[in-house]
Every structure is written in C-alpha cells, then in structure tokens.
Amino acid sequence: MYKTTVLKTSFLILNFCIGLSVKAQQPKLPESSYNLRLKAPVSTWDEALPLGNGLTGGLLWGEQNIIRLSLDRGDLWDERTHGEKEWWKKYTYQKGADLIAKGEFKTVGSWWDEAYNGVSPTKLPGGRIELKFPAREVVKEFELMEATAEGIARFNSGAVLNTFYSAADPVTLLSIKGTVPDAVQLFSPMEVYRKNTKGDGGPSSGGSVSKLGYPEAVKGKSATAEWYIQEAADGLKYCVYIDTRKNGKETLIALSITSTADGKDPLAIARQRCSLALNKGYQAMRKPHVKWWTDFWGKSSVSIPDTAVQKQYNLVQYFYGAASRLKAPPMPLQGVWTADNGTLPPWKGDYHNDLNTQMTYIAYQQSGRYDEGASYLNFLWERRSFFQDFARDFYGTAGLACPGVMSYSGQPLGGWGQYSMSPSMSAWSAHLFYLHWLYTADDTFLKEKAYPWSADVGECLLGLLKKDSNGLLKLPLSSSPEIFDDSPKAWLQPNSNYDLMSIKMLFLSLKEMAGELGKTTEAQKWAAAALALGDFHTKADGTLLLDAKYELTQSHRHLSNIIGIYPFNLITTEGSSQDQQMIEASTKSWDKLGTRSWVGYTFSWMSCLRARVGDGEAAVKNLDIFVKAFVLRNGFHVNGDQTKSGYSGFTYRPFTLEGNFLASQAVHEMLLQSWSARPGDVHTGVIRIFPAMPKKWANASFTNLRAEGGFMVSATRKNNKTLNFSITAARSGKLRIKDNFEGIAPKWNVKGITKTGDVYEVNLNKGQKLQAFFN
C-alpha cells in the first residue's frame, strides 16, 4: 500500500512538473525591451524603421522637425528588356558552350552579360511622404513595436506619431497626437531624385530614376487629399494617394499605393480605400491588424541569453510578416524597402537565385511561418509556364528552369553568365519546395506542387547531362558561385562541386518524394541519376575542391564548394568516415584562408554550417561577428564591415536581406535540428534538441519550433543541461530523437519508447504529444 502510494505520488509530481514546464513554454510576443529603437536624427533611408504588409512597405525616418515615410510596393517593376527582346532564344546555352569550348569567352560574356547592363528591367521605388512640423517640434526617437508592427516617432514636446501598414487592408495609417503638421507633402521618385544631391547612387546602383525616361508624374489635390499618378512602362500606371482628416486632437492620415494591377482606375481605388480607413479610424483599423500579428507571433518563439542576437532574431522573423505574405510578391534583394535616394535599387532589386532568394527563404520552416514562406514557392509555381518555355528556348530541354537572376515576371536578366544562366540554380530553388514539404508534412503540397515543380527541374537537367568516358553524368558548362567572378577562369571543369552537390541533392530529394507518392519507377530513375553523378571532388586529405582540378586558394564570400555540408546536408557528421574527413578538412581550409573576402552573409552562412556540424562555439563566433559588424543600426544586413575592424576587406554598405535570414536560421540550427544521415530516404529524420549550444548560451528555450516530419518541438535548457522538452506529431508515424542528454535518461509521459544505439524511437498518432522531463 505504502509503495503504491509513493509511486502514484511520484508519478503525479512528475506529470505536474512536466505540465508546468510545458505550460510555461507558450509562444511569446517579442518583449518590448528588444524593440528596434533609434535615436534621432535618422538621416538616411537605409537606417530607417522598416514597416510593411507584404504588398507595400515603408521606411520611417527623419530629423529635426521633418518626418519621412519612404514608399514601396512589391510589384512595381519596369520589365523592359535591355537590348534584344527574348535574347535568350538567340544566344542559347548550347551556342555558348560551343564557343567556350573554343575559348571565345568574350563573345559569350557579351551575350549573357549585356542584358544586365541596362537600366531596366528593375524594381521601382514608390516615392515618399514628408511631414513638416512646427520648428519647435524636434523628433528625438523612433521605435518599432515588433509585437504589433507599429512605428512610432516621439518628439521632445511629448507629441507622438504612430503608424502601421495594415495586415488586414491594403492601406497605411498615421496618427499624430500632441502637435499638428504644418505641411504634408507627397514626392514622386523623380522629385526625390531632384531633391537628392547624390545623383547616380552607390555600388551596383542602376542609376538615377531619371534614366527610366518616364513622363513627370501627374499630381492632384483636393481639400484634404494629395496624390500622384506615375505612368511607367508597358501600360503600368501606379498611384500614391494620401488623405488627411482631423479628429479633435488627432491628425489621421491614410495612404494607399494602387496600380493598374488592381483595376483600370488606380486613383478611384486608392481614394475609396483611404476614405474607408479614415471613416473607421485608427483604433478600429488597428484591431484586426494587431490580431493578425498576434497570430503570427503565436507560431513560435525562442529565448536566448544574448541581447544582440535575440534582437536580430526577433527582427528577422518580423521581416517575414512585414515583407512576405501568402498573396503578395515575395522578397527580392531588398524586400519592400527599395532605395529612397533618387536612384534605382542596388543590383536592380531583383531576384538572385544563386544564393539570395534561397537564403532569404531558409529560416521560415523551423519557425512555422509557412504562409510567409509559401509566398516565394507560389511565385515560382505561378511562373512555371514561363520557366518551361525558358528551358525549351534557352537550354533546349523539356522540364523547367528558373533563371539564376530574374525579374518579377521571371524573365532572365543576365549578368555574369556563369551564374545567371546556370541550370543548377533551379535545383537550389527546388530544394525550397522539398524543405517545405519535409517540415509541413503536407502530402497535398507534395503531390500538387513540390514534386511536379522539382521533377520538371530534374527533367531539364537530365536533358543537359551527358555521360563522359567514365560513364559519369556531366553538364556542358560548370561554375561555382561566384568563384573567379566573371573571368574566363570562372568556367570550371564540369561538374564543379557546387553543380554536383546541387544536382545530387535534387535527384535524391526527387527519389524521396517519388517514393512517398508511390512512384516506384520514377524513384528508381532519380536514384540512378544521383548515383551516376559520381563522388565529390576532394584532395587526399578530404578537402573539398572547386572541381576535379582546382582548389580554393583564396578567401571567398560564397561557400559554394562546401554547400553539400550546408544547407544540402549531403555530407554529415553522422555519415561515413569520409564525410567526417571532408567536414574537418574543408572547415580547416576555410579557416586558414581567412575572412578577408567575406561579406556579411558569409558569416551568418558559416554560422549555420558550423552549427549543423555540431560546433556551437564556431557557430556563435561567426554569428556574433555578423551582428556586431555587418548590420546597420536598424538591423539591415550590409555587405561590408561597418566597424572597419578587419573582419573583411569590404566596408561598403549596400543592403540586402539574405544575411539577416541566415542569422535567424543559425539560431534555429543551434537550438534544434532534424535531418537524416541518409539523404533521400523517406522519413528517417532524427530530432536533435540543443545540438550545437555554445557554453555562453547556458540558459535557453524555444517553443513550437518545427522539425522535419511535421513535428512541433518545445524545450528548455538551464545551466547547459536540458530540463525538458515536448514534441507534438502533425501526422501519425515514427518519432526518432537523438540522445545527447549527457547520460541522463528522460522520464516520458508515454509508453512504448525503445532505444537503438543513441536514438530513442516511438510511434505517435497525429496530434499526440510526447513529453520528457529530466531530474
């Protein structure tokens, strides 16, 4: 009797403790202490507070008695081709390969690079609003309220400006209390250009907006409203409209950016949207907006004992909600925050598929922000017909190909042809479809989108790959982004390790997806193709080469020759002894070469890679450098070392977003991993809890992060030991958990758990929660 009572009591206490630990781990709104706060003055657009709702975006900045809101809309593009229309039909891949075989590099370079040298295609800026306040009003601080996605400007008098880009309606609201602006002015991009003294902009700028050759914007006013209508190219017109209303002590301003994509009369649409918003008022409009963001933050959260990294993590997750929505354009290089200095955006603000888009959409899967991530996948899916035509017209194959550098419509922009016209970039994009399926466990998505899109990429590549004298499949041309830049040397010996890894990952993922769909014959085809690619190129000590001939001998920004380690996971710490040798030798080689030619994203990418191989100390070292030296004060990633501390030889500051998202993913990689040691096998992923924790992150927790197979995981760590975790299944099946719990056996809330080697296994039903507690 006594023994039974003790056992029952112990069981109840255990369940009570587990219940408390799990209950305490509900997703949390970002704490206000981590909000982005900027002391005034903020005198440049790229250091402003970023706001947005996916379709439209804004940058809040200013100084003295001037407040500015820079404007953007994701689908404002000039799609005019520079030079010959559909030039890729004339200057085909095979023609280029034939000339390169003859050493005629300049001719091919002129074909594929010239298209990029024009002003268009390019992303377009949207202009700006300027609010001029009485001279006595001096702005002292800007703050981004991340939990509710609101921007605030505070004045020394106590007056406050609040603004939000509605998550529920295509409109922006500004509320001003405690003062009244003397003037509210609207400036078209051309007027901004004339106001700005910098002329043609900075590195890789497309030049001034004046080069577009557009007519002057047609401006209009009414008693309370002001607008302009800009005629762009190819029938595009867009309207920026603001309307002002004074309600007692509040000045309320509504803003809408409309275009011919919304209807024939953008002005009428904008007028109606602003009128409805003003009639409802700020608080009524704010209510559904706040609900949307509360739901967004409710997907997951993490807590780490590093203020700078936590701030960056929160901000980057915010970027997904502000700049990427399910029914809106996906993020290009600068998201919805196009340059506001009278120039066109750096690198045309385009979609670079040789790293940028893939890494921008690498951090949503684990945080469970699937709708925001699906923005890019839907974008690719909706352009599949054009991509099929491109595969046929440029590569001469079936299937589809996604250009390495492309516009909003999907047309190839050219540029350095080794990368902008490389077919393996499409394989990297297909990897995002594969990951989305792995993390969501959505078999409908697998059947209807992931496998069809990826299989089409596979067909294109199979059409290009030919067997060499050793029976290995080889491409006609090969490269490794962005090794040797645009020189003839950049044409590497096929297949480079980058191409080999990209294509092998594609074929193995297709094998897995086909197997899951019951397409046995197709699974066998993809498996055979993966095998026929051969092994990776290494030195005798295991160092991964660029290709069969060349070794990386200088510091470089792009981890292209070791992409098989991360993110493709083809070479793992739990793989063969050869895998482990390649990881050790290659990371040592990169360390030896140094960081002189690294840019911001290199540090955050290397942080992810080091975490994936279990090196938490190297991971956090690289992440710390990124956060310290390669972000502007508003958190935007910039290419150069802003501290000029010698971390990199680059110190310039054009901003792009992929480095930010890699930093966010590095946090995920340190907290939770779920990969398989055998790429291509169906549902063999192993969950690893706190797999790469640096010692200084002794106390950490996360709530509802996602793992491959559709699992939702929460865990707590204290004094460098795991206290508890819970895992909920999104589908019925086997759960596998790596035992890295330092010899402490967990107490489980379910029966039937077995252990094989260092892996716990249990079968869970859909919706069932496994809980573990450590004494």
Side-chain angles (χ1 to χ4, degrees), residues 222-349:
S222 68
T224 60
E226 181 179 354
W227 63 87
Y228 79 79
I229 300 174
Q230 179 66 63
E231 181 180 341
D234 300 326
L236 172 66
K237 291 183 181 180
Y238 62 94
C239 172
V240 179
Y241 185 97
I242 56 174
D243 199 355
T244 304
R245 184 171 299 176
K246 294 182 179 180
N247 296 321
K249 296 182 179 180
E250 178 187 39
T251 300
L252 189 61
I253 301 172
L255 157 73
S256 185
I257 306 176
T258 55
S259 79
T260 42
D262 301 314
K264 293 182 179 180
D265 191 346
L267 175 59
I269 296 169
R271 182 183 291 120
Q272 181 183 37
R273 289 176 178 175
C274 289
S275 178
L276 288 172
L278 291 173
N279 288 338
K280 288 183 179 179
Y282 191 91
Q283 291 303 322
M285 290 290 293
R286 181 179 180 274
K287 188 175 180 179
H289 167 81
V290 170
K291 183 183 184 304
W292 189 94
W293 277 96
T294 300
D295 292 342
F296 172 85
W297 291 115
K299 298 291 193 302
S300 64
S301 64
V302 307
S303 177
I304 51 177
D306 185 313
T307 299
V309 174
Q310 183 75 62
K311 287 180 70 173
Q312 176 70 191
Y313 178 86
N314 291 354
L315 182 65
V316 174
Q317 292 300 312
Y318 163 83
F319 286 167
Y320 276 128
S324 188
R325 297 285 179 87
L326 193 59
K327 296 182 180 180
M331 289 177 280
L333 292 178
Q334 290 89 28
V336 288
W337 301 299
T338 298
D340 179 29
N341 58 355
T343 73
L344 297 171
W347 301 287
K348 302 177 183 290

